[in-house]
Amino acid sequence: MADLPLITPMPMVADCVLPWDGPVSDTVAAIGAARSACGDTFVIDSGDDRYLFLFSPVGLQSFYAVPEQHASKGIADWKMLVRKLPDELFDGRRTLPHELFTRPNVSGYLDALEEAISLQLAELSPGDEIDLFDFTRRLGHRMGLASWGGREILRSARFEELVAALDVLDGSEAFVAPTRMQEVAQSGKAAERAAMATAEQILADSIAARHSPVGDLLDMILERWADAPDAERLTGVARDVILVHIGSMSNLFAALGWSLVHLVQHPDVLARVRTSQDADQDLVTRCVLESTRIGQRSIMLRTVLEPVSIDDGAHTYEVSPGATLATFLPLTNMDSGPGLDRYDPDRWQGPRLVSPPGLPAELVTTFGHGPHTCPARPFSVTAMSRVIERLFDAFDLEALFDDARPRPGQIGGVARAAEPCMVVLRDR
Ligand code: HEM
């Protein structure tokens, strides 16, 4: 192993590896045990990398405040995703996902979301049995592709083929099923490359048929490629759409899945959502924030590029380039204060967590803090809220599952469910 980057003073080193480097069956248990043994600041040396984990309130404030030029989220994310995605998908991109969400209002994507939800609901009938996470995954494809791939893609004769290809490409497998990445590497990402070619071709055909702007997010992507020759332009736009879409599928459908699970499990809250007015006006928003909090399995990573000083409240660590700063949300989101292990949408006041009172903001994370806060938060909250309103307006959902557990090997994004969460749809 090459020399590992210096951290001075050196915190305790936990007896643990990360799941892309060795067997870890339950990531929350493994990193939780490391924290119990070593305290709120510790090091994990795993594979060729050295990770400085931070969990104290001051440590987390330092983590979220580090500028991108000093410790990069972009590079850390890329290192994770490139274990699954073909390298060429990252080359030459002209649209960064956060640039799509700079518009101050939601009108640019609302119609696309409504159409995607309508199509999905039209497939359902009373008596159907569905897995909530299958349902939200399919809907996540529809809502996302309609938003940045153009609404016309929903009517493509090859839409099912596109969804199947994107499910093979699925960058989130890098953190949902990290132990599978060695197999992906051994195959030379052959399945992923074939899936990317299929997705590219279907999207390019659909994009080529658009001859004038319609005022949506795809138009913004098309503008960036306006000067490129035709073939290069179509591939470029298709790849920009694919990368945004892969990013969106990290969290959105899973957070929506937990939102539905929790409402099925809490009929009292659901009854309030269905009749909510005035004081409860933003209840559905608070429900999605609460379910996102509980579902979070994100490991937050920053690759150190320049020497940085990180204060954790007890010590200031000088961290050398090459190290990775890290924190792991389930360990703070669920037990930083009394009652956080329970589902309670009323702990939110608007977008702020107010119960338990006085908790430093960084101890609970839904959409992030500081410079890297999720730019798609308004889009995602709107999308999830509209699905909840329209699905529960159309049907009653009767649970066929007793319990819903997160998948234990996952380390990143919002949790996928360990087992199917089946419900039967009933007429209202
Ligand atoms: C429920 C859905 C979502 C959740 C819970 C979520 C959560 C987050 C979190 C926690 C971060 C900060 C990560 C960090 O600091 O390391 C983040 C950043 C980001 N998210 Fe989301 N996200 C969601 C949906 C989306 C969607 C739909 C997209 C795009 C289509 C998206 C694109 C991004 C981007 C580009 C960043 C990085 C921003 C930057 O570095 O400046 N997210 N998200």
Side-chain angles (χ1 to χ4, degrees), residues 152-173:
E152 57 270 37
I153 194 69
L154 295 177
R155 313 275 171 190
S156 160
R158 298 181 71 191
F159 185 75
E160 296 302 329
E161 209 186 325
L162 175 60
V163 165
L166 290 168
D167 276 341
V168 172
L169 196 52
D170 187 13
S172 69
E173 262 209 301

Side-chain angles (χ1 to χ4, degrees), residues 64 73 97-98 101 148 244 248 251-252 255 292 296 300 302 365-368 371-376 379-380 384 414:
Y64 286 113
K73 166 175 161 50
H98 62 258
F101 299 101
W148 29 84
V244 172
S248 82
N251 290 318
L252 181 55
T292 304
Q296 268 293 5
M300 313 291 243
R302 308 283 187 263
T365 300
T366 52
F367 287 89
H372 293 296
T373 299
C374 183
F379 170 87
S380 304
M384 293 192 283
V414 174

Side-chain angles (χ1 to χ4, degrees), residues 142-391:
R142 276 196 163 126
M143 292 194 297
L145 290 168
S147 300
W148 29 84
R151 279 159 71 182
E152 57 270 37
I153 194 69
L154 295 177
R155 313 275 171 190
S156 160
R158 298 181 71 191
F159 185 75
E160 296 302 329
E161 209 186 325
L162 175 60
V163 165
L166 290 168
D167 276 341
V168 172
L169 196 52
D170 187 13
S172 69
E173 262 209 301
F175 48 81
V176 171
T179 48
R180 219 180 74 70
M181 291 310 105
Q182 282 169 2
E183 186 188 320
V184 172
Q186 276 158 14
S187 75
K189 302 179 190 165
E192 289 73 17
R193 290 209 155 84
M196 184 169 124
T198 304
E200 236 171 71
Q201 197 207 10
I202 298 172
L203 282 164
D205 286 350
S206 175
I207 292 160
R210 179 179 286 197
H211 298 298
S212 51
V214 301
D216 64 0
L217 300 180
L218 176 60
D219 282 344
M220 292 173 75
I221 303 178
L222 282 162
E223 271 166 31
R224 285 159 201 269
W225 289 89
D227 64 340
D230 238 22
E232 187 193 333
R233 186 175 68 90
L234 289 176
T235 308
V237 173
R239 287 189 181 180
D240 278 8
V241 170
I242 291 172
L243 200 56
V244 172
H245 190 68
I246 296 276
S248 82
M249 293 301 284
S250 296
N251 290 318
L252 181 55
F253 86 88
L256 179 56
W258 290 109
S259 302
L260 300 183
V261 163
H262 293 146
L263 285 168
V264 168
Q265 288 174 327
H266 295 86
D268 51 330
V269 179
L270 177 59
R272 282 173 55 203
V273 167
R274 277 175 163 158
T275 56
S276 69
Q277 29 178 289
D278 299 339
D280 263 354
Q281 220 173 24
D282 66 345
L283 178 59
V284 69
T285 305
R286 290 183 279 124
C287 288
V288 302
L289 290 177
E290 181 65 348
S291 294
T292 304
R293 174 186 75 83
I294 294 172
Q296 268 293 5
R297 284 294 175 281
S298 282
I299 186 166
M300 313 291 243
L301 300 168
R302 308 283 187 263
T303 302
V304 177
L305 303 176
E306 290 183 17
V308 285
S309 300
I310 297 290
D311 180 7
D312 72 351
H315 301 281
T316 299
Y317 300 92
E318 304 303 328
V319 187
S320 308
T324 304
L325 310 177
T327 192
F328 189 38
L329 299 189
L331 297 190
T332 44
N333 272 12
M334 297 302 281
D335 59 12
S336 290
L340 282 174
D341 55 340
R342 278 199 324 270
Y343 173 77
D344 178 10
D346 293 326
R347 71 172 72 258
W348 297 89
Q349 204 171 70
R352 281 202 333 280
L353 184 129
V354 292
S355 169
L359 205 65
E362 292 81 3
L363 286 182
V364 169
T365 300
T366 52
F367 287 89
H369 307 280
H372 293 296
T373 299
C374 183
R377 176 177 175 148
F379 170 87
S380 304
V381 170
T382 303
M384 293 192 283
S385 301
R386 286 302 293 146
V387 173
I388 289 170
E389 286 163 351
R390 294 191 57 190
L391 177 66

Side-chain angles (χ1 to χ4, degrees), residues 4 24 97 141 201 225 349 393:
L4 289 166
V24 181
H141 280 307
Q201 197 207 10
W225 289 89
Q349 204 171 70
D393 190 43

